Amino acid sequence: MMEKQAVSWVVERHEEIEALINRYPERRSAVLPLLHLAQEARGYLATEDVEAVAELVGMTPSEVTGIVSFYSLLHRQPRGRYTLTLCQNLPCVLAGAEALAQHLRQRLGIAPGETTPDGLLTLEETHECLAACDGAPVVQVNLEYATHMTPEKVDRLLEALRAASQEAAAPDGEEDDAGGL
Amino acid sequence: MSGERVSLTIDGRAVQVPPGTLVLDAARQAGVEIPVFCSHDQLDPVAVCRICLVEVEGSRKLVPACSERVREGMVVRTDTPQVAEARKSVLEFLLINHPLDCPVCDKGGECDLQDLTYQYGPALSRLADAKMRKPKAVDLGPFIVLDEERCILCRRCTRFDHQVAQERTLVVGQRAHEALITTAEGVPYASVFSGNTIELCPVGALTSKFYRFRARPWDLVRVDEICHGCPVGCHIQLHFRANVEGARLERVVSRPFEPIDDGWLCDRGRFNYGFVQSPERIAQPLVRPLGAPRGTLVPTSWEEAFRRVVGRLQEVLATQGPQGVGFIGGGRLTNEEAYLLQRLARQVVGTENVDHRVAGEAAASLDVAPGRITDLDRAAVILVVGAHPGQSAPVVDLRIRRAAARQGALLLTLGPVDPELRVPHQFLPAAPGHLADRLEALAQSLAGGGEGVPPRVAQELHEREGLLVALWDGREAAAGRALAAFLQTWQAQGREARLLVVGDQANSRGAEAAGLRPDLLPGYRLAADPEARRQAGLAPEPAAPGLSTQAMLEHAVAGRLGFLYLVGANLVETFPDRALATAALESEAFVVVQDLFLTETARLADVVLPAAPFTARAGHLTNLEGRVQATGPRSTDPAAGLPVEAWTDGQIFEHLGEALQGRPLVAGAGELATALAAAGLGSGTFAGALPVALLHEASDGSPTPSGSGEGLVAAPLPTIHGGGGTSRFDRAYGERRPLAAVVYLNPEDAQRWGVVPGDRVGLEAGDGVVEAEVQVTRRVMAGVLGVPRGVPGLAWNRLTGAGRVRVRGRLLEEVG
Amino acid sequence: MAFEPVLTRGIGELDLTDLKVYRAQGGYQALEKALRELAPGDVVQMVTDSGLRGRGGAGFPAGKKWSFLPDDGRPRYLVCNADESEPGTFKDRLLIEHHPHQLIEGIVLAAYAVQAVQAFIYLRGEFLEGYRVLQRALAQARDAGYVGRNILGSGFDLEIVVHRGAGAYICGEETGLLSSLQGGRGEPRLKPPFPAVAGLYGMPTVVNNVETLSCVPHIVARGPEWFRSIGPETSPGPKIFSVSGHVVRPGNYELPMGVPLAELIFEHAGGLRPGRRVKAVLPGGGSSPALTADHLDVPLDFDSVAQAGSMLGSGAVMVLDDTTCIVKAAYVLARFFAAESCGQCTPCREGTSWVARILGRIEAGQGRPEDLEVLKSLPGQMAGRTICPFSDASVGFLSSTLIHFEDEYLAHIERGACQVREVRSA
Ligand SMILES: Cc1cc2nc3c(=O)[nH]c(=O)nc-3n(C[C@H](O)[C@H](O)[C@H](O)COP(=O)(O)O)c2cc1C
Ligand code: SF4
Ligand code: FES
């Protein structure tokens, strides 16, 4: 048996994967969609996910590694249940995004890129404008927008997320995209 | 198309070049040097480093000369202040984060960044901030260390790995100023071509673990050489550094020769050189004391050793006649030495018992459709028969990869084990002993018939116009004949065909052409041809027909061959029937071994004569396409290695000849050169090839499995880093390229015998059990056991010698 | 004559994501008309005649781009650039989330015009909501026969695939986008060959912005003359301006091309907060050189803004009032560019990070007199010397402010601190 033990999402979402690949004239094009899918399943991309995606699209694990590390939304390390991303581009900075970042770092006791010890939150600060500058400063919670943020609103958001995660103390389910907002 | 030319001017000089030429190359032709980092002749342009920017009239912006193609009437300027400023600027950018450790950098003195900075760069650094930190001394692979801080991200290494090696292991990771060269997690850059990236690297980012901190380029003495690693014959340069012990060989680099190597080397050729100065080399002659059991050897003087050899030889000649004497080996000798060896045998001793085939091969060449390595570049179809080019002719494999991946050649492989190829191909399984059947079917399919050829393959073979290049491992004689017939059928259809035979050793083809075969005199003249014999100064009739390697061993065992002389031949490890080889060596025969190391074979000898390594000798080698290439140092070059009392193989032959017949083997260098030229081995020419008629059935040791029923047929697999010779004794190299005692099974057989990957199993050979770990792969056809050759600790030739092999199932822990 | 919004009409009042609602507003009639009455070449001609210029940043005439495709029988592709990530731009997200059918209709029309065999929407990875909306809308459109096989019985087939990016600004650059869509790192490619000749999978490819394509149904429905009647001669049509920064009402404003900067800021975006004055305006996103208070009468169209020394780009108007520290603003943009360079070209990879390091130091009060000299020379060393225009873009704001606000840099360096009160104001 040359094949490794199949990764669970490859087995469970087999049909979806085939459909994704078939959307494109060349298999390689499915690499980002498959990485999104794998990351959705596990919360991050483990080495075996990288290998599985490589196999599916006919690349080497190295090629997929080079791709994963190019994109800021793809992660090779485990993440918190929620990722809070603060925009730090100019319109948001003009609206106080740096003070907000400071506030969050203190509140959570972690630096950008880190996850709270309870595994609930990962903090990210992005220099890429989140394209919601009319609502500056902007935060994304698992890619859902929260606009016109202030320290007070951020605190309330944190509470809501904590509450939501306790409620959802159900069995290990899928990652909740909605972020409980 | 050939006559078409584009005219342009570069710095006022007019040039005409073919359409599609890069401005960079046009400039070179005009004598205008444009600096480059990322650009490389053998790699697709990416134009990322931006050092080559030039002015083109009509262009608003500066243009990269490395990717811009010429246009009619183009006016290019490289000598303007703007271009000078752009170059300086790029160098400034490259240097801001580059460590200033040139004094301790291996590349110092031969670094493009250093040189170009000196020529075009800024005088002072304007950087007031700390330099970027990146990983240093990254262990990239077996032979390579990577300093990410020195890397200028020219991408030559990654492009080599993608475009040339087609392996895609080395990639650019991260982005922006954090970009770096990397591989997937847990994946080393273990390509057998990894060393090329060291030479490609324009700075000191990729360095050799062996060469690290060993020398400064200006201290090196450089000697042009031909690689002795395999029959491809790549052009190399040896770099020596003198120290108190003499000259040490510090590294091997390429010496680009387009018709063979395109400037690439495999890692064996590049890194397996430490043996030259190994402390394990035999330091002086050894003899078995009279009455001592085999395996006992004590040092002695050359006089004593020669006395023993000559004395015993004369005794055997007196008792058994010339038929009682045999000479085996020579695939590692130069053409000259091979010629001398057969001359010693035929003319001085009077025996036809000479053979260079030590590993069961039938031929090192074939006189149908002789091919050149470059034929692969224009091949429409490549047919690999039995051969494993990636292992036994690696740099040729690069051309196969390119042809298949980039030029759309149809790649077919035929044999019991699909060779490890990095490019798409079709595998046509053929059991050992049955390659001929499969080839006959293929030939029939060309004519529209052909049972058992996959329809898609048949159709492709039918439709592909143009050149077919076949590579054959020269093993099964019947396969050789069938292949010849196939090629003739192809040609009869008005299509071109070429054949390359991958010999077993670096100079198998030269040995064959020089007459190191029982049935051939030098120059492919039949040993039975009275006229040829007369011209060679031999009696019109041989005293007895010559014996092949296998026959000599059998005669030794039977007591009919009392004197066996082995030259660079580790038969215990290389001959497909280990039992026979061992029995012959343990027989009553007197065994002389001439070698660098105390091999498994040498240990059993009566006399061991230490031979000098290739660095000490001059002559010619004949590569697998028959190209006769000069090799070796000139008198002015330094000798390598430790002070070892060794003579070159040729010197030993000459001495023996003189001792036996009282006059020199050849009158002088002139006569030797004439004789070789007469044999078709003149320097710079191409050698002849073996007539198909001389492909003998059941030639030595080809595994012809006896019996049927239960059991697997062992198919030997060449291994690039293994072998019976020098790599076994190159400790530093071996440590970085550890070889596992692993055998390969088809999934079906694994199931049948109840083994899973990673199991240690016992393999029942005729004479007991061979232990090995099992790997399971579809590359091996059902019913076949893939057994790598030349892996220390895996007696592969007990399995091939044994007929059918039974798998005894998992071994319990206590065995290990 | 008051300007009637075209692209954003109904947004905020109607649920235009619903196919029925969209159709009730006349949606897909342009497509029906084109497939029934117009040859592909006619559609190309209409768009050419309309004078529509690309809304993604470069302002290249759309019809001209479409007519560049070589007619050599190779399959052609249409790619909608929905990677919207130019700092300050948020108009495409609006159109995607609230008016998806308009975009889909535009894509089908454009694909029909250039006879593309397949279309892709390269959607910014962060736009998860947009992804859901587009998938829903596409499903509806497919069911209704506007997308898929034999569209409206015309024999024209088109599949549209929404492809999510994964967080990389450079994938907005069209060749970086194509590299990414083909399954690679989003590294821009050498031009030539241009995408029109060798784009996606090496085939002839049209890349157009969301807003550009959203204009197409209206051009087909109402005719090129109508489109030309809006805005100036050389850059006609409606344009969505994303206004951000120090204005009272940041937001998307759809206005005729050529609307004066002052009118946009003061009439539409509510002006500045009391007592504040305009210090600098980036009229085309983070890549555009700054305009100053002297430029308030500049008409916002491609040519006029270029004449004023900047670029209209995506029409993202960032307004900085007099409380803004220019050095800080330059630094914030510089660290963005330093993080987002793809890293291929030496001047860009090394230059962007060097610029950011110097600006960061000056901003932190550790500037040195020589820094200014280096800063002034770097834009020239980085611009026009790389594979794609990112490198140029990264120094646009910096170079303009070194001209207009040199004293502010000097003050930072000399006094080690900012002389402007505060960057933030909210
Ligand atoms: C650095 C850079 C980033 C860009 N980002 C975007 C973008 O986010 N969205 C976009 O539509 N065009 C972007 N562009 C412009 C595209 O390269 C391309 O010109 C555009 O998609 C063409 O569409 P259009 O002609 O309809 O404007 C960018 C260009 C550059 C150089
Ligand atoms: S200019 Fe910058 S972003 Fe553009 S290709 Fe070069 S390195 Fe990449
Ligand atoms: S700057 Fe933050 S959303 Fe635009």
Side-chain angles (χ1 to χ4, degrees):
Chain A
M1 195 177 60
M2 282 289 274
E3 307 83 38
K4 299 220 181 76
Q5 193 71 45
V7 180
S8 62
W9 58 264
V10 176
V11 180
E12 285 154 18
R13 301 176 72 170
H14 176 72
E15 276 171 27
E16 195 181 337
I17 290 168
E18 278 309 302
L20 266 179
I21 293 172
N22 289 332
R23 299 196 315 190
Y24 299 96
E26 290 183 7
R27 284 182 97 79
R28 304 175 59 87
S29 282
V31 68
L32 281 188
L34 290 173
L35 287 167
H36 278 306
L37 190 144
Q39 182 160 290
E40 198 179 289
R42 196 190 296 275
Y44 72 103
L45 296 165
T47 299
E48 61 205 88
D49 298 322
V50 168
E51 288 165 357
V53 170
E55 171 97 35
L56 283 166
V57 298
M59 292 185 190
T60 63
S62 288
E63 286 178 289
V64 175
T65 300
I67 290 166
V68 168
S69 63
F70 188 85
Y71 297 99
S72 58
L73 294 182
L74 301 175
H75 308 288
R76 289 297 319 273
Q77 297 302 321
R79 318 269 299 168
R81 187 179 178 94
Y82 301 105
T83 296
L84 252 67
T85 309
L86 274 78
C87 176
Q88 296 291 302
N89 205 302
L90 187 52
C92 281
V93 167
L94 293 174
E98 289 193 326
L100 196 66
Q102 206 53 42
H103 175 78
L104 256 175
R105 287 185 210 182
Q106 268 164 14
R107 210 6 96 94
L108 298 174
I110 53 174
E114 293 179 356
T115 301
T116 52
D118 60 2
L120 186 68
L121 291 157
T122 299
L123 181 64
E124 291 283 358
E125 293 174 10
T126 177
H127 298 307
E128 220 191 328
C129 166
L130 289 175
C133 320
D134 48 348
V138 176
V139 172
Q140 275 197 332
V141 185
N142 289 358
L143 303 185
E144 305 292 338
Y145 283 96
T147 53
H148 296 113
M149 294 309 278
T150 59
E152 300 72 44
K153 281 174 80 176
V154 162
D155 288 347
R156 264 181 278 142
L157 173 66
L158 294 182
E159 267 159 44
L161 293 178
R162 288 216 174 86
S165 82
Q166 265 152 26
E167 240 166 72
D172 253 6
E174 301 250 283
E175 194 69 7
D176 183 5
D177 270 337
L181 283 181
Chain B
M1 130 130 215
S2 54
E4 231 182 294
R5 280 283 190 274
V6 174
S7 307
L8 67 159
T9 68
I10 301 173
D11 292 347
R13 307 182 201 184
V15 262
Q16 275 90 42
V17 292
T21 303
L22 297 168
V23 170
L24 178 70
D25 297 326
R28 204 170 281 159
Q29 193 179 313
V32 174
E33 205 49 48
I34 297 174
V36 298
F37 286 117
C38 67
S39 168
H40 188 278
D41 291 348
Q42 301 287 333
L43 305 172
D44 296 346
V46 279
V48 293
C49 79
R50 302 268 136 186
I51 190 76
C52 70
L53 294 177
V54 295
E55 269 182 52
V56 173
E57 210 163 83
S59 224
R60 256 184 322 116
K61 299 191 218 167
L62 296 179
V63 168
C66 77
S67 65
E68 186 77 7
R69 313 255 165 205
V70 294
R71 276 173 277 117
E72 182 60 39
M74 202 176 201
V75 178
V76 180
R77 296 225 72 103
T78 77
D79 52 1
T80 67
Q82 209 200 343
V83 170
E85 188 278 320
R87 289 176 184 170
K88 195 166 118 184
S89 163
V90 166
L91 287 163
E92 178 175 45
F93 283 133
L94 288 176
L95 290 169
I96 52 172
N97 287 314
H98 193 88
L100 296 174
D101 59 355
C102 309
V104 295
C105 176
D106 282 339
K107 203 75 172 193
E110 53 186 9
C111 168
D112 293 350
L113 183 57
Q114 213 174 33
D115 295 349
L116 294 182
T117 302
Y118 180 77
Q119 243 180 306
Y120 307 107
L124 285 171
S125 170
R126 299 190 294 164
L127 182 78
D129 306 83
K131 288 178 185 285
M132 279 272 303
R133 300 313 306 247
K134 284 188 184 174
K136 293 185 82 79
V138 178
D139 191 347
L140 198 61
F143 299 110
I144 297 186
V145 194
L146 165 62
D147 184 327
E148 302 273 17
E149 288 183 354
R150 290 182 190 155
C151 171
I152 59 166
L153 290 159
C154 69
R155 302 178 174 220
R156 281 184 178 182
C157 56
T158 55
R159 280 182 289 150
F160 168 78
D161 189 47
H162 289 219
Q163 296 165 14
V164 180
Q166 297 288 333
E167 296 186 15
R168 300 175 286 150
T169 309
L170 207 55
V171 296
V172 179
Q174 308 297 336
R175 69 176 184 220
H177 52 284
E178 283 172 356
L180 40 69
I181 303 301
T182 191
T183 61
E185 188 175 85
V187 176
Y189 178 48
S191 164
V192 299
F193 298 105
S194 72
N196 293 300
T197 61
I198 296 171
E199 275 188 62
L200 284 170
C201 183
V203 295
L206 294 162
T207 53
S208 153
K209 285 184 187 168
F210 291 163
Y211 181 68
R212 250 163 102 76
F213 308 127
R214 295 227 44 112
R216 310 302 290 168
W218 50 85
D219 290 336
L220 294 168
V221 176
R222 292 151 200 256
V223 176
D224 288 351
E225 250 298 4
I226 301 296
C227 180
H228 285 54
C230 80
V232 178
C234 297
H235 288 205
I236 57 174
Q237 199 172 56
L238 308 180
H239 289 182
F240 294 92
R241 182 164 175 252
N243 67 9
V244 283
E245 289 176 335
R248 263 189 77 86
L249 179 52
E250 296 292 6
R251 68 174 174 184
V252 173
V253 301
S254 74
R255 187 161 56 88
F257 184 61
E258 201 274 330
I260 293 180
D261 53 51
D262 271 339
W264 311 127
L265 298 178
C266 76
D267 283 359
R268 175 172 58 194
R270 188 184 297 276
F271 296 118
N272 178 16
Y273 59 80
F275 70 89
V276 162
Q277 48 230 0
S278 163
E280 287 168 57
R281 259 180 56 201
I282 308 170
Q284 70 187 100
L286 306 168
V287 293
R288 174 157 73 111
L290 288 174
R294 287 217 182 261
T296 319
L297 289 165
V298 296
T300 189
S301 66
W302 277 99
E303 295 82 60
E304 171 61 14
F306 276 129
R307 208 182 50 70
R308 287 278 281 275
V309 171
V310 172
R312 192 54 188 264
L313 178 56
Q314 278 161 345
E315 278 171 43
V316 172
L317 280 173
T319 55
Q320 295 184 320
Q323 302 95 296
V325 179
F327 294 84
I328 300 174
R332 300 217 310 266
L333 302 178
T334 60
N335 293 346
E336 287 77 2
E337 291 170 331
Y339 176 85
L340 290 176
L341 178 58
Q342 68 82 36
R343 186 143 169 151
L344 178 67
R346 289 204 167 96
Q347 244 151 12
V348 180
V349 177
T351 182
E352 297 295 324
N353 299 341
V354 284
D355 208 340
H356 73 277
R357 294 166 297 175
V358 296
E361 58 289 33
S365 66
L366 211 52
D367 70 351
V368 283
R372 303 269 183 271
I373 290 171
T374 46
D375 289 333
L376 287 162
D377 297 346
R378 49 186 193 94
V381 181
I382 298 172
L383 172 64
V384 179
V385 180
H388 292 257
Q391 306 293 325
S392 44
V395 168
V396 166
D397 196 44
L398 283 183
R399 276 189 205 263
I400 298 177
R401 297 179 192 194
R402 182 167 67 192
R406 297 183 44 117
Q407 280 136 36
L410 170 69
L411 179 53
L412 301 173
T413 65
L414 189 151
V417 181
D418 188 15
E420 236 175 324
L421 292 163
R422 300 300 182 131
V423 288
H425 63 281
Q426 168 86 37
F427 173 42
L428 305 170
H434 295 278
L435 272 62
D437 308 346
R438 204 69 212 240
L439 283 162
E440 278 156 21
L442 221 49
Q444 281 159 22
S445 85
L446 292 183
E451 295 282 293
V453 177
R456 205 183 61 81
V457 172
Q459 194 188 342
E460 285 260 27
L461 281 179
H462 189 70
E463 286 169 3
R464 292 263 176 166
E465 285 303 320
L467 174 64
L468 178 142
V469 180
L471 278 97
W472 176 46
D473 66 353
R475 284 181 185 275
E476 290 183 9
R481 276 192 302 272
L483 180 58
F486 171 81
L487 295 174
Q488 278 152 1
T489 312
W490 182 274
Q491 286 170 325
Q493 296 178 342
R495 298 184 283 185
E496 269 187 290
R498 295 279 187 275
L499 172 66
L500 295 168
V501 181
V502 183
D504 194 70
Q505 290 184 297
N507 201 29
S508 293
R509 185 149 185 188
E512 187 182 78
L516 278 184
R517 264 178 76 116
D519 49 358
L520 281 181
L521 301 181
Y524 292 101
R525 311 209 51 188
L526 297 182
D529 175 356
E531 176 57 19
R533 296 186 68 85
R534 201 186 48 73
Q535 284 171 13
L538 297 169
E541 288 280 324
L547 301 175
S548 67
T549 299
Q550 172 151 338
M552 283 187 254
L553 297 176
E554 283 163 357
H555 279 230
V557 173
R560 281 183 280 150
L561 192 119
F563 187 95
L564 194 53
Y565 197 110
L566 305 177
V567 182
N570 186 4
L571 288 175
V572 173
E573 275 298 321
T574 64
F575 194 70
D577 186 346
R578 193 184 192 100
L580 176 60
T582 313
L585 291 167
E586 285 171 348
S587 72
E588 291 299 309
F590 186 82
V591 179
V592 182
V593 168
Q594 190 169 313
D595 214 319
L596 273 72
F597 293 95
L598 204 55
T599 63
E600 290 83 343
T601 303
R603 277 178 220 287
L604 299 176
D606 291 276
V607 175
V608 180
L609 302 175
F614 70 95
T615 46
R617 68 186 191 196
H620 291 81
L621 294 174
T622 308
N623 80 347
L624 61 82
E625 57 182 352
R627 189 186 295 270
V628 180
Q629 311 196 89
T631 167
R634 286 145 304 271
S635 55
T636 49
D637 294 329
L642 302 166
V644 163
E645 265 195 64
W647 294 13
T648 65
D649 292 294
Q651 286 167 334
I652 298 175
F653 302 149
E654 287 183 323
H655 186 91
L656 275 178
E658 180 121 31
L660 285 165
Q661 65 176 4
R663 61 187 160 83
L665 261 184
V666 287
E671 189 197 324
L672 186 55
T674 312
L676 285 161
L681 288 172
S683 192
T685 63
F686 283 88
L690 187 80
V692 180
L694 290 191
L695 277 175
H696 294 302
E697 216 57 70
S699 59
D700 307 315
S702 298
T704 30
S706 50
S708 59
E710 283 267 284
L712 300 161
V713 184
L717 307 174
T719 40
I720 176 170
H721 300 294
T726 54
S727 61
R728 282 176 109 69
F729 298 92
D730 194 331
R731 224 163 263 290
Y733 174 75
E735 275 166 15
R736 285 178 172 75
R737 276 293 183 189
L739 293 163
V742 170
V743 294
Y744 301 91
L745 271 187
N746 180 279
E748 236 174 75
D749 292 317
Q751 199 167 24
R752 174 165 319 133
W753 297 95
V755 292
V756 298
D759 275 355
R760 269 195 86 73
V761 296
L763 300 161
E764 282 179 21
D767 60 347
V769 175
V770 175
E771 279 178 37
E773 188 186 310
V774 169
Q775 271 187 16
V776 179
T777 167
R778 289 185 196 284
R779 281 178 50 220
V780 178
M781 69 181 287
V784 167
L785 180 72
V787 197
R789 288 169 51 198
V791 174
L794 179 65
W796 68 280
N797 47 359
R798 283 175 58 199
L799 299 168
T800 47
R804 292 200 179 257
V805 177
R806 295 171 55 89
V807 182
R808 206 197 242 178
R810 297 187 198 199
L811 291 184
L812 298 174
E813 279 312 305
E814 79 240 16
V815 181
Chain C
M1 187 185 69
F3 170 74
E4 268 282 314
V6 178
L7 303 170
T8 58
R9 190 167 65 93
I11 292 181
E13 293 140 35
L14 302 169
D15 180 10
L16 290 163
T17 66
D18 186 337
L19 178 62
K20 289 198 292 291
V21 177
Y22 180 64
R23 287 186 51 174
Q25 297 298 307
Y28 287 114
Q29 281 175 12
L31 180 61
E32 294 192 17
K33 171 176 158 189
L35 292 183
R36 301 240 155 87
E37 301 164 16
L38 301 174
D42 299 337
V43 180
V44 176
Q45 195 56 50
M46 286 175 97
V47 171
T48 308
D49 293 345
S50 76
L52 170 64
R53 291 172 67 172
R55 305 309 200 219
F60 195 84
K64 196 164 168 187
K65 192 187 280 189
W66 296 3
S67 54
F68 278 158
L69 300 195
D71 202 1
D72 54 9
R74 288 182 297 159
R76 298 159 164 198
Y77 295 104
L78 176 77
V79 178
C80 169
N81 188 341
D83 193 53
E84 183 170 62
S85 39
E86 180 60 35
T89 316
F90 45 93
K91 62 182 177 80
D92 294 341
R93 190 163 74 83
L94 176 83
L95 293 176
I96 291 161
E97 289 181 5
H98 298 280
H99 219 332
H101 286 290
Q102 175 177 263
L103 175 60
I104 292 169
E105 186 176 6
I107 289 173
V108 182
L109 279 168
Y112 175 69
V114 302
Q115 291 290 292
V117 297
Q118 197 176 353
F120 297 89
I121 301 176
Y122 189 99
L123 183 69
R124 188 169 172 188
E126 285 86 345
F127 291 179
L128 191 57
E129 175 61 15
Y131 182 66
R132 296 187 194 116
V133 170
L134 279 173
Q135 292 292 37
R136 265 198 312 270
L138 269 173
Q140 292 173 350
R142 230 173 256 131
D143 286 347
Y146 297 123
V147 171
R149 309 229 76 179
N150 191 17
I151 297 173
L152 299 175
S154 66
F156 178 63
D157 304 331
L158 186 76
E159 210 25 81
I160 302 178
V161 168
V162 187
H163 183 95
R164 281 182 69 201
Y169 167 71
I170 196 60
C171 292
E173 195 282 331
E174 57 186 2
T175 59
L177 183 155
L178 294 175
S179 298
S180 177
L181 181 51
Q182 251 174 260
R185 294 159 58 84
E187 290 168 347
R189 307 176 185 169
L190 284 167
K191 290 194 261 193
F194 289 89
V197 177
L200 193 60
Y201 311 114
M203 300 300 161
T205 302
V206 166
V207 182
N208 272 130
N209 170 258
V210 168
E211 188 184 353
T212 314
L213 290 167
S214 295
C215 289
V216 175
H218 304 283
I219 293 170
V220 172
R222 302 207 216 172
E225 295 72 27
W226 160 80
F227 195 82
R228 290 201 86 98
S229 72
I230 304 166
E233 180 67 28
T234 56
S235 357
K239 174 81 191 91
I240 307 176
F241 296 97
S242 300
V243 186
S244 65
H246 291 140
V247 291
V248 173
R249 286 194 304 273
N252 282 313
Y253 296 94
E254 185 182 356
L255 295 164
M257 273 281 190
V259 62
L261 181 54
E263 183 186 325
L264 177 66
I265 296 175
F266 294 102
E267 284 176 32
H268 300 284
L272 276 58
R273 288 164 304 164
R276 300 285 159 77
R277 282 177 305 142
V278 169
K279 182 170 189 175
V281 177
L282 293 82
S287 302
S288 57
L291 299 178
T292 65
D294 299 340
H295 297 110
L296 285 172
D297 54 352
V298 169
L300 294 176
D301 62 69
F302 290 110
D303 303 324
S304 309
V305 177
Q307 246 165 35
S310 185
M311 58 185 226
L312 184 65
S314 55
V317 177
M318 292 199 246
V319 180
L320 314 186
D321 72 17
D322 51 357
T323 63
T324 313
C325 169
I326 288 293
V327 177
K328 174 69 181 237
Y331 170 56
V332 169
L333 287 173
R335 69 185 183 194
F336 155 75
F337 286 112
E340 296 295 335
S341 162
C342 86
Q344 290 187 97
C345 312
T346 306
C348 176
R349 177 184 68 243
E350 304 297 335
T352 50
S353 100
W354 196 6
V355 166
R357 272 181 282 173
I358 296 174
L359 285 174
R361 203 157 36 71
I362 298 178
E363 207 270 322
Q366 261 124 54
R368 309 168 359 152
E370 312 85 86
D371 286 339
L372 204 56
E373 214 39 59
V374 178
L375 276 184
K376 282 184 180 166
S377 68
L378 286 179
Q381 291 177 243
M382 293 165 67
R385 293 183 178 176
T386 52
I387 290 175
C388 88
F390 176 101
S391 190
D392 307 54
S394 74
V395 288
F397 183 75
L398 174 67
S399 358
S400 66
T401 54
L402 283 169
I403 296 168
H404 300 307
F405 303 98
E406 183 179 2
D407 49 338
E408 227 170 282
Y409 289 89
L410 270 173
H412 267 83
I413 292 170
E414 281 164 12
R415 284 172 242 164
C418 184
Q419 300 304 296
V420 186
R421 265 187 305 147
E422 252 276 61
V423 178
R424 63 153 300 197
S425 53

